[in-house]
Amino acid sequence: VLNNLGSCYEIKKNHEKAIELYKKALIISPEFEEARLNLSASYFNNNEFGKAYNTIEKVSINSIDPKYRIFLPAILSKRIDSLIKIETNKKQILILEKLKANQDTLFQVYVDSKKRKKDIF
């Protein structure tokens, strides 16, 4: 119920209230994947990209929820944008931009890195 109510607030663009409700749902059920994905989306929609990334990082790469395949590349793209802003090595910037350009590749590189228990960035 909290997850669904949070989604109603998110639809109305009340991200703060949606975030509050998704967090409450996760307190009750920490493994509730749908609430975690929705929380990451609310953070993203509220321009809190670091929190969106940290939240979606907790979702299993074996997730079968179609939202995972949609949300993850968008969040990773914003993560790459933040890294490009601080990167000074031009070769690294080109690699990051190339990675960001193809969402399927970005998704696969992320999944592969998680399987190897390595941080993609």
Side-chain angles (χ1 to χ4, degrees):
V1 171
L2 290 169
N3 179 63
N4 292 342
L5 184 56
S7 295
C8 291
Y9 279 103
E10 185 62 29
I11 289 168
K12 294 289 190 181
K13 301 201 184 314
N14 187 339
H15 308 301
E16 292 83 12
K17 186 66 176 177
I19 288 166
E20 175 189 327
L21 291 164
Y22 294 138
K23 284 180 173 181
K24 284 182 181 181
L26 287 166
I27 288 169
I28 293 167
S29 183
E31 301 302 316
F32 187 18
E33 188 175 271
E34 184 179 358
R36 189 164 310 282
L37 287 167
N38 289 339
L39 177 59
S40 69
S42 288
Y43 280 136
F44 183 88
N45 293 336
N46 204 35
N47 297 318
E48 296 180 76
F49 305 121
K51 288 182 179 180
Y53 177 75
N54 291 336
T55 301
I56 206 162
E57 272 271 286
K58 296 174 185 163
V59 176
S60 169
I61 58 171
N62 299 316
S63 175
I64 59 170
D65 190 316
K67 288 189 265 185
Y68 182 67
R69 188 81 162 93
I70 295 167
F71 296 171
L72 182 63
I75 291 169
L76 291 174
S77 290
K78 289 295 186 179
R79 176 86 170 147
I80 289 172
D81 288 344
S82 69
L83 294 173
I84 288 172
K85 286 179 184 176
I86 61 172
E87 182 60 58
T88 57
N89 183 314
K90 290 183 182 184
K91 287 183 182 179
Q92 287 295 105
I93 292 171
L94 289 174
I95 290 168
L96 290 168
E97 287 174 343
K98 186 175 181 181
L99 184 59
K100 182 183 169 192
N102 186 319
Q103 288 197 343
D104 290 331
T105 301
L106 179 57
F107 182 85
Q108 195 56 51
V109 167
Y110 176 82
V111 168
D112 291 345
S113 72
K114 290 292 273 188
K115 285 179 183 175
R116 291 189 319 272
K117 298 182 182 184
K118 301 277 184 180
D119 188 7
I120 187 173
F121 307 110

